[in-house]
Amino acid sequence: MNGIVDMRSDTVTLPTDAMRAAMARAEVGDDVNAEDPTVNELEEYAADLFGKEAALFVTSGTQGNAVAMMAHTVPGDLVYCETRAHVGHYEGGGPAALAGVTLEKISCDRGILTAERVEEAMEPEDVHLAVPRVIWAENTSNGGGGTCMTVAEMEGLRTLANRYGLKIHVDGARIFNAAAGLGVSVKDLAAAADTVQFCLSKGLGAPVGSMVVGPRSFRKAAHRKRKMLGGGLRQAGVIAAAGLVALKETPSLIPLDHANARSLAQGIAEIPGLLIDPDGVETNLVYFGYEAGVVDSKRFVGQLSERGYLIGEARKGVSRACTHHQVSADDVGGALAAMREAAAAASPA
Ligand SMILES: *Cc1c(COP(=O)(O)O)cnc(C)c1O
Protein backbone atom coordinates (compact mmCIF):
# COMPACT_ATOMS: atom_id res chain seq x y z
CA MET A 1 0.00 0.00 0.00
CA ASN A 2 2.48 2.65 -1.28
CA GLY A 3 4.76 2.15 1.70
CA ILE A 4 2.02 3.26 4.09
CA VAL A 5 0.63 0.66 6.47
CA ASP A 6 -3.00 1.60 6.99
CA MET A 7 -4.53 0.12 10.13
CA ARG A 8 -7.26 2.73 10.63
CA SER A 9 -9.88 0.17 9.66
CA ASP A 10 -10.48 -2.94 7.59
CA THR A 11 -12.58 -0.74 5.26
CA VAL A 12 -9.30 0.52 3.75
CA THR A 13 -8.52 -2.84 2.13
CA LEU A 14 -7.95 -2.50 -1.61
CA PRO A 15 -9.35 -4.90 -4.22
CA THR A 16 -6.93 -7.69 -5.10
CA ASP A 17 -5.80 -8.55 -8.62
CA ALA A 18 -8.19 -11.52 -8.57
CA MET A 19 -11.08 -9.20 -7.68
CA ARG A 20 -10.19 -6.73 -10.43
CA ALA A 21 -9.92 -9.54 -12.97
CA ALA A 22 -13.31 -10.92 -11.93
CA MET A 23 -14.81 -7.44 -12.15
CA ALA A 24 -13.46 -6.96 -15.67
CA ARG A 25 -15.00 -10.14 -17.00
CA ALA A 26 -18.23 -10.16 -14.95
CA GLU A 27 -21.42 -10.99 -16.80
CA VAL A 28 -23.92 -8.26 -16.04
CA GLY A 29 -27.53 -7.24 -16.56
CA ASP A 30 -30.11 -4.95 -14.97
CA ASP A 31 -30.31 -6.02 -11.35
CA VAL A 32 -33.45 -3.97 -10.71
CA ASN A 33 -35.07 -6.55 -13.00
CA ALA A 34 -33.10 -9.38 -11.28
CA GLU A 35 -31.28 -9.87 -14.58
CA ASP A 36 -27.71 -9.57 -13.39
CA PRO A 37 -26.32 -13.12 -13.32
CA THR A 38 -23.34 -12.17 -11.16
CA VAL A 39 -25.50 -10.52 -8.50
CA ASN A 40 -27.83 -13.52 -8.60
CA GLU A 41 -24.88 -15.87 -8.15
CA LEU A 42 -23.53 -13.82 -5.23
CA GLU A 43 -26.93 -13.81 -3.53
CA GLU A 44 -27.35 -17.56 -3.94
CA TYR A 45 -23.82 -18.21 -2.72
CA ALA A 46 -24.29 -15.99 0.34
CA ALA A 47 -27.67 -17.48 1.26
CA ASP A 48 -26.23 -20.97 1.04
CA LEU A 49 -23.12 -20.09 3.05
CA PHE A 50 -25.31 -18.72 5.86
CA GLY A 51 -27.91 -21.48 5.70
CA LYS A 52 -30.72 -19.04 4.88
CA GLU A 53 -33.35 -19.09 2.14
CA ALA A 54 -32.36 -15.87 0.43
CA ALA A 55 -29.89 -13.01 0.29
CA LEU A 56 -29.96 -9.43 -0.94
CA PHE A 57 -26.95 -7.45 -2.18
CA VAL A 58 -26.89 -3.93 -0.72
CA THR A 59 -24.54 -1.00 -1.11
CA SER A 60 -23.25 -0.89 2.46
CA GLY A 61 -23.58 -2.31 5.92
CA THR A 62 -25.57 0.72 6.94
CA GLN A 63 -28.01 0.17 4.09
CA GLY A 64 -28.27 -3.53 4.93
CA ASN A 65 -29.09 -2.71 8.53
CA ALA A 66 -31.56 -0.02 7.43
CA VAL A 67 -33.52 -2.31 5.11
CA ALA A 68 -33.53 -5.02 7.77
CA MET A 69 -34.80 -2.58 10.39
CA MET A 70 -37.52 -1.33 8.04
CA ALA A 71 -38.52 -4.84 7.00
CA HIS A 72 -38.79 -6.12 10.59
CA THR A 73 -40.65 -3.23 12.19
CA VAL A 74 -43.41 -0.66 11.86
CA PRO A 75 -43.00 2.92 13.15
CA GLY A 76 -43.37 3.06 16.92
CA ASP A 77 -41.78 -0.33 17.56
CA LEU A 78 -39.02 -0.99 20.07
CA VAL A 79 -35.69 -2.63 19.25
CA TYR A 80 -33.23 -3.92 21.85
CA CYS A 81 -29.53 -3.36 21.20
CA GLU A 82 -26.33 -3.00 23.19
CA THR A 83 -25.29 0.48 24.35
CA ARG A 84 -22.26 0.63 22.05
CA ALA A 85 -23.99 -0.93 19.04
CA HIS A 86 -23.13 0.46 15.62
CA VAL A 87 -26.84 0.84 14.84
CA GLY A 88 -27.28 3.28 17.71
CA HIS A 89 -24.11 5.30 17.20
CA TYR A 90 -22.84 5.29 13.65
CA GLU A 91 -25.81 5.02 11.34
CA GLY A 92 -26.85 8.65 11.30
CA GLY A 93 -29.98 8.21 13.38
CA GLY A 94 -31.34 5.90 10.68
CA PRO A 95 -33.45 3.71 12.98
CA ALA A 96 -35.45 6.76 14.07
CA ALA A 97 -35.42 8.60 10.75
CA LEU A 98 -36.02 5.72 8.37
CA ALA A 99 -37.85 3.10 10.42
CA GLY A 100 -39.41 5.28 13.14
CA VAL A 101 -38.29 2.91 15.87
CA THR A 102 -36.98 3.49 19.37
CA LEU A 103 -33.77 1.74 20.36
CA GLU A 104 -33.58 0.42 23.89
CA LYS A 105 -29.87 0.41 24.64
CA ILE A 106 -28.71 -2.20 27.11
CA SER A 107 -25.23 -2.10 28.58
CA CYS A 108 -23.48 -5.50 28.54
CA ASP A 109 -19.96 -6.80 29.20
CA ARG A 110 -17.69 -6.68 26.16
CA GLY A 111 -20.52 -5.15 24.11
CA ILE A 112 -22.16 -8.56 23.78
CA LEU A 113 -25.93 -8.53 24.22
CA THR A 114 -27.09 -11.44 26.38
CA ALA A 115 -30.51 -12.98 26.93
CA GLU A 116 -30.25 -12.26 30.66
CA ARG A 117 -29.66 -8.54 30.15
CA VAL A 118 -32.38 -8.23 27.50
CA GLU A 119 -34.88 -10.02 29.71
CA GLU A 120 -34.06 -7.68 32.61
CA ALA A 121 -34.89 -4.74 30.33
CA MET A 122 -38.23 -6.18 29.23
CA GLU A 123 -41.49 -4.99 30.75
CA PRO A 124 -44.92 -6.60 30.88
CA GLU A 125 -47.20 -5.61 28.03
CA ASP A 126 -48.75 -2.23 28.65
CA VAL A 127 -50.56 0.27 26.46
CA HIS A 128 -48.03 2.95 27.43
CA LEU A 129 -45.09 1.06 25.98
CA ALA A 130 -43.62 0.77 22.52
CA VAL A 131 -44.10 -2.73 21.11
CA PRO A 132 -40.85 -4.74 21.26
CA ARG A 133 -40.10 -6.32 17.90
CA VAL A 134 -36.42 -7.10 17.38
CA ILE A 135 -33.36 -8.16 19.34
CA TRP A 136 -30.46 -6.54 17.49
CA ALA A 137 -27.15 -8.30 18.11
CA GLU A 138 -23.72 -7.34 16.77
CA ASN A 139 -21.04 -9.94 16.04
CA THR A 140 -18.23 -9.11 16.40
CA SER A 141 -19.01 -6.14 18.59
CA ASN A 142 -16.94 -3.23 17.31
CA GLY A 143 -17.61 -0.97 20.30
CA GLY A 144 -16.95 -3.90 22.63
CA GLY A 145 -13.46 -4.37 21.19
CA GLY A 146 -13.97 -6.83 18.34
CA THR A 147 -15.50 -9.31 20.76
CA CYS A 148 -17.22 -12.53 19.65
CA MET A 149 -20.74 -13.66 20.44
CA THR A 150 -20.86 -17.44 20.77
CA VAL A 151 -23.36 -19.91 19.33
CA ALA A 152 -24.60 -20.57 22.88
CA GLU A 153 -25.19 -16.86 23.45
CA MET A 154 -27.10 -16.70 20.16
CA GLU A 155 -29.20 -19.68 21.25
CA GLY A 156 -29.97 -17.93 24.53
CA LEU A 157 -31.30 -14.96 22.60
CA ARG A 158 -33.35 -17.32 20.38
CA THR A 159 -35.08 -18.91 23.35
CA LEU A 160 -36.00 -15.49 24.69
CA ALA A 161 -37.09 -14.22 21.28
CA ASN A 162 -39.34 -17.22 20.78
CA ARG A 163 -40.93 -16.72 24.18
CA TYR A 164 -41.83 -13.11 23.37
CA GLY A 165 -42.40 -13.36 19.62
CA LEU A 166 -39.38 -11.23 18.72
CA LYS A 167 -37.13 -11.33 15.67
CA ILE A 168 -33.35 -11.53 15.91
CA HIS A 169 -31.15 -9.55 13.55
CA VAL A 170 -27.38 -9.84 13.66
CA ASP A 171 -25.29 -6.91 12.54
CA GLY A 172 -22.53 -9.19 11.33
CA ALA A 173 -20.38 -6.56 9.63
CA ARG A 174 -17.45 -8.66 10.91
CA ILE A 175 -19.15 -12.02 11.39
CA PHE A 176 -16.34 -13.76 9.50
CA ASN A 177 -13.98 -12.47 12.18
CA ALA A 178 -16.30 -13.85 14.85
CA ALA A 179 -16.40 -17.22 13.09
CA ALA A 180 -12.61 -17.35 12.82
CA GLY A 181 -12.19 -16.14 16.41
CA LEU A 182 -14.48 -18.85 17.74
CA GLY A 183 -13.51 -21.59 15.29
CA VAL A 184 -17.08 -22.08 14.05
CA SER A 185 -18.80 -21.44 10.72
CA VAL A 186 -20.82 -18.35 9.87
CA LYS A 187 -23.72 -20.75 9.32
CA ASP A 188 -23.45 -21.83 12.96
CA LEU A 189 -23.42 -18.22 14.11
CA ALA A 190 -26.39 -17.36 11.90
CA ALA A 191 -28.51 -20.39 12.81
CA ALA A 192 -30.38 -18.80 15.71
CA ALA A 193 -30.88 -15.47 13.91
CA ASP A 194 -33.74 -14.57 11.61
CA THR A 195 -31.57 -12.26 9.56
CA VAL A 196 -27.92 -11.28 9.28
CA GLN A 197 -26.16 -8.36 7.64
CA PHE A 198 -22.50 -8.82 6.76
CA CYS A 199 -19.97 -6.60 5.00
CA LEU A 200 -18.03 -7.67 1.92
CA SER A 201 -16.06 -4.44 2.09
CA LYS A 202 -14.37 -4.79 5.48
CA GLY A 203 -12.04 -7.66 6.36
CA LEU A 204 -13.20 -9.65 3.32
CA GLY A 205 -11.60 -6.96 1.18
CA ALA A 206 -14.19 -6.27 -1.55
CA PRO A 207 -14.35 -2.64 -2.68
CA VAL A 208 -18.12 -2.18 -2.20
CA GLY A 209 -21.10 -3.97 -0.76
CA SER A 210 -22.84 -5.88 1.98
CA MET A 211 -25.37 -8.69 2.09
CA VAL A 212 -28.48 -9.31 4.13
CA VAL A 213 -29.61 -12.91 4.46
CA GLY A 214 -32.81 -14.41 5.83
CA PRO A 215 -36.15 -15.94 4.86
CA ARG A 216 -37.54 -15.40 1.34
CA SER A 217 -40.38 -13.26 2.73
CA PHE A 218 -37.83 -11.04 4.45
CA ARG A 219 -35.83 -10.65 1.26
CA LYS A 220 -38.95 -9.51 -0.54
CA ALA A 221 -39.69 -6.83 2.07
CA ALA A 222 -36.03 -5.73 2.28
CA HIS A 223 -35.84 -5.56 -1.51
CA ARG A 224 -38.71 -3.04 -1.61
CA LYS A 225 -37.04 -0.95 1.11
CA ARG A 226 -33.74 -1.05 -0.77
CA LYS A 227 -35.47 0.38 -3.85
CA MET A 228 -37.12 3.06 -1.72
CA LEU A 229 -33.72 4.10 -0.34
CA GLY A 230 -32.26 4.38 -3.83
CA GLY A 231 -30.25 1.20 -3.49
CA GLY A 232 -31.57 -0.49 -6.62
CA LEU A 233 -28.45 -0.77 -8.76
CA ARG A 234 -28.33 -1.67 -12.44
CA GLN A 235 -25.26 -3.54 -13.76
CA ALA A 236 -24.15 -4.25 -10.21
CA GLY A 237 -22.40 -7.45 -11.30
CA VAL A 238 -19.17 -5.50 -11.71
CA ILE A 239 -19.04 -5.03 -7.94
CA ALA A 240 -20.78 -8.29 -7.03
CA ALA A 241 -17.97 -10.11 -8.88
CA ALA A 242 -15.44 -8.72 -6.43
CA GLY A 243 -17.75 -9.72 -3.58
CA LEU A 244 -17.80 -13.31 -4.79
CA VAL A 245 -14.01 -13.45 -4.88
CA ALA A 246 -13.91 -11.88 -1.40
CA LEU A 247 -16.36 -14.45 -0.01
CA LYS A 248 -14.48 -17.38 -1.52
CA GLU A 249 -10.88 -16.33 -0.95
CA THR A 250 -10.52 -14.06 2.06
CA PRO A 251 -12.12 -15.93 5.00
CA SER A 252 -9.21 -18.40 5.07
CA LEU A 253 -6.80 -15.46 5.62
CA ILE A 254 -8.60 -14.07 8.67
CA PRO A 255 -6.90 -16.29 11.29
CA LEU A 256 -3.63 -14.67 10.23
CA ASP A 257 -5.13 -11.20 10.80
CA HIS A 258 -6.08 -12.31 14.30
CA ALA A 259 -2.59 -13.66 15.02
CA ASN A 260 -1.18 -10.33 13.83
CA ALA A 261 -3.62 -8.43 16.05
CA ARG A 262 -2.55 -10.50 19.05
CA SER A 263 1.15 -9.85 18.47
CA LEU A 264 0.41 -6.17 17.95
CA ALA A 265 -1.46 -6.10 21.28
CA GLN A 266 1.31 -7.96 23.09
CA GLY A 267 3.87 -5.54 21.70
CA ILE A 268 1.79 -2.50 22.65
CA ALA A 269 1.54 -3.82 26.22
CA GLU A 270 5.34 -3.50 26.48
CA ILE A 271 5.52 0.12 25.33
CA PRO A 272 5.69 2.62 28.21
CA GLY A 273 2.74 5.02 28.21
CA LEU A 274 0.38 2.82 26.20
CA LEU A 275 -2.40 0.93 27.97
CA ILE A 276 -3.88 -2.35 26.78
CA ASP A 277 -5.05 -5.72 28.02
CA PRO A 278 -3.78 -8.01 25.26
CA ASP A 279 -6.00 -10.84 26.52
CA GLY A 280 -9.03 -8.75 25.57
CA VAL A 281 -8.10 -8.86 21.88
CA GLU A 282 -10.26 -11.59 20.35
CA THR A 283 -10.19 -10.75 16.65
CA ASN A 284 -8.70 -8.07 14.39
CA LEU A 285 -9.46 -4.92 16.39
CA VAL A 286 -6.82 -3.64 18.81
CA TYR A 287 -8.02 -0.86 21.10
CA PHE A 288 -5.58 0.85 23.43
CA GLY A 289 -5.39 3.88 25.68
CA TYR A 290 -2.74 6.27 26.95
CA GLU A 291 -1.24 6.85 30.36
CA ALA A 292 -2.21 10.38 31.38
CA GLY A 293 0.77 12.73 31.58
CA VAL A 294 3.06 10.27 29.78
CA VAL A 295 1.84 10.02 26.18
CA ASP A 296 -0.49 12.45 24.41
CA SER A 297 -2.79 10.52 22.08
CA LYS A 298 -2.99 13.13 19.30
CA ARG A 299 0.76 13.64 19.20
CA PHE A 300 1.30 9.87 19.25
CA VAL A 301 -0.99 9.30 16.27
CA GLY A 302 0.71 12.16 14.41
CA GLN A 303 4.21 10.82 15.16
CA LEU A 304 3.14 7.38 14.04
CA SER A 305 1.71 8.61 10.75
CA GLU A 306 4.96 10.49 10.03
CA ARG A 307 6.59 7.07 10.23
CA GLY A 308 4.13 5.59 7.73
CA TYR A 309 1.71 3.82 10.08
CA LEU A 310 -1.91 4.94 10.30
CA ILE A 311 -4.27 4.12 13.16
CA GLY A 312 -7.71 5.46 14.05
CA GLU A 313 -9.21 7.34 16.97
CA ALA A 314 -12.03 5.25 18.41
CA ARG A 315 -13.07 7.82 20.98
CA LYS A 316 -11.32 10.51 22.96
CA GLY A 317 -8.04 9.13 24.23
CA VAL A 318 -8.63 5.66 22.80
CA SER A 319 -7.02 4.49 19.58
CA ARG A 320 -7.88 1.57 17.36
CA ALA A 321 -5.53 -0.37 15.15
CA CYS A 322 -7.12 -2.87 12.85
CA THR A 323 -5.38 -5.75 11.12
CA HIS A 324 -6.56 -7.08 7.77
CA HIS A 325 -5.25 -9.18 4.92
CA GLN A 326 -3.14 -6.31 3.60
CA VAL A 327 -1.25 -5.93 6.88
CA SER A 328 1.55 -8.52 7.19
CA ALA A 329 3.41 -9.85 10.22
CA ASP A 330 6.37 -7.73 9.09
CA ASP A 331 4.13 -4.67 9.01
CA VAL A 332 3.16 -5.40 12.62
CA GLY A 333 6.83 -5.60 13.58
CA GLY A 334 7.43 -2.28 11.85
CA ALA A 335 4.40 -0.74 13.51
CA LEU A 336 5.62 -1.74 16.95
CA ALA A 337 9.06 -0.25 16.35
CA ALA A 338 7.41 2.95 15.11
CA MET A 339 5.03 2.98 18.11
CA ARG A 340 7.92 2.75 20.53
CA GLU A 341 9.57 5.78 18.89
CA ALA A 342 6.28 7.66 18.59
CA ALA A 343 5.44 7.11 22.27
CA ALA A 344 8.86 8.44 23.32
CA ALA A 345 8.33 11.49 21.09
CA ALA A 346 4.77 12.21 22.18
CA SER A 347 4.99 13.31 25.79
CA PRO A 348 2.35 15.93 26.57
CA ALA A 349 3.43 19.53 25.88
C1 LIG B 1 -18.91 -0.89 9.46
C2 LIG B 1 -20.05 -1.37 10.24
C3 LIG B 1 -21.36 -1.22 9.76
C4 LIG B 1 -21.69 -0.40 8.54
O1 LIG B 1 -21.07 -0.77 7.38
P1 LIG B 1 -20.81 0.33 6.23
O2 LIG B 1 -20.54 -0.52 5.05
O3 LIG B 1 -19.64 1.12 6.69
O4 LIG B 1 -22.05 1.14 6.08
C5 LIG B 1 -22.37 -1.76 10.51
N1 LIG B 1 -22.12 -2.41 11.65
C6 LIG B 1 -20.89 -2.57 12.15
C7 LIG B 1 -20.70 -3.33 13.42
C8 LIG B 1 -19.80 -2.06 11.47
O5 LIG B 1 -18.57 -2.21 11.97
Side-chain angles (χ1 to χ4, degrees):
M1 289 201 270
N2 308 324
I4 299 281
V5 176
D6 195 341
M7 299 184 292
R8 288 171 301 164
S9 178
D10 40 17
T11 58
V12 302
T13 44
L14 301 177
T16 61
D17 291 344
M19 289 175 197
R20 287 181 181 274
M23 293 170 83
R25 61 169 187 267
E27 266 189 78
V28 296
D30 189 339
D31 182 52
V32 170
N33 301 333
E35 289 168 4
D36 189 302
T38 310
V39 173
N40 293 343
E41 184 187 343
L42 173 62
E43 290 183 346
E44 277 164 35
Y45 188 85
D48 192 52
L49 193 62
F50 279 75
K52 300 297 184 199
E53 282 178 4
L56 181 70
F57 184 47
V58 290
T59 55
S60 67
T62 302
Q63 188 179 67
N65 283 343
V67 298
M69 188 68 85
M70 294 167 85
H72 282 314
T73 61
V74 295
D77 282 349
L78 187 75
V79 173
Y80 299 108
C81 69
E82 208 278 332
T83 309
R84 287 160 279 185
H86 195 279
V87 72
H89 252 293
Y90 298 121
E91 297 184 15
L98 301 172
V101 299
T102 297
L103 298 178
E104 172 119 2
K105 296 182 176 179
I106 303 167
S107 173
C108 300
D109 285 345
R110 299 161 53 247
I112 298 295
L113 199 62
T114 63
E116 293 70 29
R117 297 287 292 138
V118 176
E119 194 163 21
E120 279 167 26
M122 293 174 102
E123 294 177 87
E125 192 178 333
D126 181 311
V127 71
H128 296 85
L129 304 176
V131 176
R133 198 75 69 181
V134 184
I135 297 175
W136 192 278
E138 186 175 309
N139 203 7
T140 62
S141 163
N142 175 15
T147 45
C148 303
M149 182 170 214
T150 64
V151 171
E153 284 165 326
M154 282 300 304
E155 285 166 352
L157 289 180
R158 183 76 264 166
T159 304
L160 184 70
N162 287 350
R163 194 156 359 113
Y164 293 94
L166 307 178
K167 294 280 199 288
I168 299 177
H169 176 78
V170 175
D171 176 352
R174 296 191 177 84
I175 199 167
F176 285 87
N177 293 95
L182 296 165
V184 300
S185 67
V186 291
K187 193 181 279 187
D188 293 337
L189 289 177
D194 295 281
T195 58
V196 179
Q197 179 278 121
F198 69 92
C199 290
L200 297 164
S201 60
K202 290 195 169 162
L204 296 186
V208 179
S210 278
M211 309 296 299
V212 281
V213 298
R216 238 181 292 282
S217 57
F218 164 81
R219 186 197 183 278
K220 190 172 178 199
H223 184 235
R224 291 193 73 91
K225 302 302 182 188
R226 186 187 73 174
K227 190 79 184 97
M228 182 195 284
L229 296 176
L233 300 177
R234 303 296 178 175
Q235 286 71 37
V238 289
I239 49 176
L244 267 167
V245 174
L247 262 186
K248 289 174 183 174
E249 295 189 354
T250 322
S252 63
L253 306 176
I254 288 179
L256 208 59
D257 302 340
H258 294 182
N260 285 337
R262 269 194 303 279
S263 35
L264 184 62
Q266 283 156 1
I268 289 172
E270 288 166 14
I271 297 175
L274 304 186
L275 303 174
I276 191 170
D277 170 16
D279 292 338
V281 174
E282 299 181 26
T283 55
N284 68 327
L285 304 181
V286 179
Y287 285 83
F288 61 94
Y290 299 87
E291 200 176 326
V294 180
V295 175
D296 176 78
S297 66
K298 288 235 166 8
R299 297 186 70 189
F300 175 82
V301 173
Q303 286 287 334
L304 199 57
S305 89
E306 280 175 25
R307 290 165 174 78
Y309 295 89
L310 306 184
I311 61 170
E313 183 178 41
R315 46 188 184 273
K316 225 181 188 171
V318 177
S319 291
R320 190 187 78 170
C322 177
T323 58
H324 50 74
H325 74 111
Q326 288 165 342
V327 173
S328 68
D330 281 352
D331 291 337
V332 169
L336 286 169
M339 283 180 170
R340 197 173 282 280
E341 290 176 15
S347 40

